Amino acid sequence: MKNFILRDENAVYFESKFSCDNVIFLKLGSDRYFITDARYTTEAKEFAKDCEVIESSNLVETAKEILIKNKIKKITFDPNDFTYALYTNLSKDLKTQFIQEPNFSKQKRIIKSDEEIEILAKAARHGRKGFKELAKYIRKNGFKKSEQHLFFKGLEKMSQMGKLDLSFDPIIAINENAAKPHALPSKKKLKLNDLLLVDAGVKYKRYCSDRTCTAAVNFENFSFKREQKFKKNKHQKIYDLVYKAQLNAIENAKVGMKASQIDNLTRSVIEKAGYGKYFIHSTGHGVGLDIHEFPNINSKSDVIIEDNMVFTVEPGIYIPNEFGVRIEDTVVMKNGKAIIL
């Protein structure tokens, strides 16, 4: 049974069903310790499951005392979660050997439980509701509103007026700004027949949703539906191509494939049409407690896809100084096939 130490909030939550921004979590054999300061001990004792909650004004020293007391020879840690200063202080004057294992917590979470999938599906429903509310605002009030203003409204509508946390800051981009996959909001204003890209998500019970829609802007029946009709022929051509690529992956992804094969299901469609150089990122990523988890759906990944894996399928084409199109949905592998959450 592996001993390990955690600092990452979501990793700690996965182990104990509670976390906070100042915690060291130890699993030593069958014993589990949640070390935190006085600000969090009351809640930790109420919500943290199957672990001993220890209040401390110096988490590192308390953790070292526990390691010494238990005569721990080896302990696993994720180097991504520890600063150099913290690691140096923690390992100093200890006989315990610290063994690096990058992302070992994310690896544990790559296969979701049925309960987790239900929560992720609920997060996705909340996310779709946010998109509908933002579309309603754009129909009524979006004309000549800037990306910066729409970004603010995206925060408001996606969070359901602050009821939900967001998975990440929304990306809201018009025309040429949408050619930047992670565009920052500008003063550019929304007009009739513009192309609008929105990438946003919310959290439900700490689990994330993630969706991207690219839409043709009108102010009568505007919506973020999957099938879009653009006034500009080039917009329509690229949108249809990206949509075709996404459908090819969702409809043909199978358990037992390598992640790289799913990436190829989107990339081959776009490359065959002559736009391969404009598809500049991977096809997708896992989604769970973190917005970016395993499996990574890219051209180099040999991970074998299994049931209950959850990941995005998000092909895109980005033509510099003109426009960009991305269509993203989060899917779960169930009974060997991909199902949109």
Side-chain angles (χ1 to χ4, degrees):
M1 189 178 294
K2 180 165 62 178
N3 300 323
F4 59 79
I5 183 170
L6 299 172
R7 283 279 290 167
D8 178 76
E9 278 194 62
N10 284 333
V12 173
Y13 180 85
F14 182 75
E15 299 293 338
S16 69
K17 301 303 179 187
F18 179 74
S19 194
C20 59
D21 63 7
N22 190 34
V23 58
I24 289 178
F25 184 91
L26 292 170
K27 183 179 180 301
L28 309 176
S30 60
D31 297 324
R32 296 143 59 89
Y33 303 91
F34 189 110
I35 309 167
T36 189
D37 66 66
R39 295 172 298 169
Y40 301 112
T41 48
T42 300
E43 286 183 314
K45 287 177 180 178
E46 182 177 357
F47 296 113
K49 305 296 184 185
D50 303 321
C51 56
E52 180 183 347
V53 175
I54 299 174
E55 182 179 310
S56 173
S57 59
N58 189 325
L59 274 57
V60 170
E61 288 304 314
T62 300
K64 291 173 75 169
E65 289 169 6
I66 293 171
L67 292 172
I68 292 169
K69 180 181 177 181
N70 286 273
K71 299 179 181 179
I72 300 301
K73 295 180 179 179
K74 295 180 180 180
I75 193 163
T76 298
F77 78 106
D78 185 344
N80 297 304
D81 298 337
F82 288 77
T83 64
Y84 179 74
L86 179 63
Y87 170 74
T88 302
N89 191 9
L90 185 63
S91 58
K92 185 180 179 181
D93 300 325
L94 280 184
K95 294 181 180 179
T96 303
Q97 179 185 359
F98 284 76
I99 301 170
Q100 295 189 37
E101 191 175 328
N103 299 310
F104 74 86
S105 178
K106 285 186 178 182
Q107 192 64 48
K108 288 176 68 174
R109 286 144 47 194
I110 193 170
I111 305 292
K112 303 300 190 275
S113 68
D114 289 341
E115 180 185 3
E116 287 179 298
I117 290 168
E118 287 180 12
I119 295 171
L120 284 160
K122 188 70 176 289
R125 290 197 290 273
H126 279 300
R128 285 195 293 273
K129 182 179 179 181
F131 270 88
K132 287 180 180 178
E133 291 300 314
L134 180 58
K136 186 186 299 183
Y137 175 82
I138 290 171
R139 283 197 300 272
K140 294 181 178 180
N141 304 292
F143 184 61
K144 289 192 175 180
K145 293 296 192 295
S146 70
E147 287 177 345
Q148 292 171 340
H149 180 88
L150 294 173
F151 171 83
F152 169 74
K153 284 297 174 182
L155 296 172
E156 177 186 290
K157 302 302 182 184
M158 292 300 300
S159 70
Q160 298 179 25
M161 301 294 288
K163 292 179 183 177
L164 298 170
D165 289 332
L166 300 186
S167 303
F168 51 91
D169 282 345
I171 298 166
I172 298 182
I174 300 166
N175 294 342
E176 64 270 18
N177 211 23
K180 307 166 188 173
H182 283 188
L184 298 174
S186 72
K187 294 179 180 179
K188 185 175 181 61
K189 294 182 178 180
L190 190 66
K191 302 186 299 298
L192 183 66
N193 297 326
D194 278 346
L195 178 148
L196 177 66
L197 184 152
V198 177
D199 185 346
V202 299
K203 292 183 179 181
Y204 174 71
K205 294 185 177 180
R206 295 185 72 111
Y207 284 79
C208 298
S209 76
D210 194 3
R211 182 187 185 203
T212 304
C213 297
T214 306
V217 174
N218 62 65
F219 300 99
E220 294 179 4
N221 58 354
F222 177 81
S223 70
F224 289 111
K225 59 188 178 183
R226 288 170 64 80
E227 293 187 10
Q228 292 282 331
K229 298 299 180 185
F230 294 84
K231 289 290 185 181
K232 293 185 178 181
N233 290 335
K234 192 171 184 180
H235 287 175
Q236 191 70 59
K237 176 184 176 182
I238 297 301
Y239 186 89
D240 290 346
L241 178 58
V242 174
Y243 188 35
K244 179 181 178 183
Q246 195 211 30
L247 285 179
N248 192 49
I250 293 173
E251 293 174 355
N252 292 294
K254 298 289 186 294
V255 162
M257 281 184 168
K258 292 181 179 180
S260 58
Q261 290 176 288
I262 296 178
D263 181 88
N264 188 59
L265 288 172
T266 61
R267 201 167 303 279
S268 61
V269 172
I270 292 172
E271 288 177 345
K272 186 176 179 180
Y275 288 91
K277 70 177 182 179
Y278 300 113
F279 183 7
I280 56 178
H281 54 69
S282 63
T283 287
H285 57 84
V287 179
L289 288 167
D290 288 319
I291 189 59
H292 292 109
E293 291 199 347
F294 293 154
N296 292 318
I297 310 299
N298 62 42
S299 60
K300 297 179 181 179
S301 177
D302 290 328
V303 170
I304 302 299
I305 299 301
E306 300 181 46
D307 266 345
N308 282 32
M309 285 185 174
V310 175
F311 53 87
T312 64
V313 180
E314 50 178 307
I317 292 176
Y318 309 92
I319 303 175
N321 303 314
E322 290 191 53
F323 65 95
V325 172
R326 179 165 68 254
I327 305 172
E328 173 187 21
D329 289 284
T330 301
V331 303
V332 59
M333 299 301 295
K334 274 290 182 186
N335 300 315
K337 299 179 181 181
I339 300 170
I340 296 176
L341 286 175

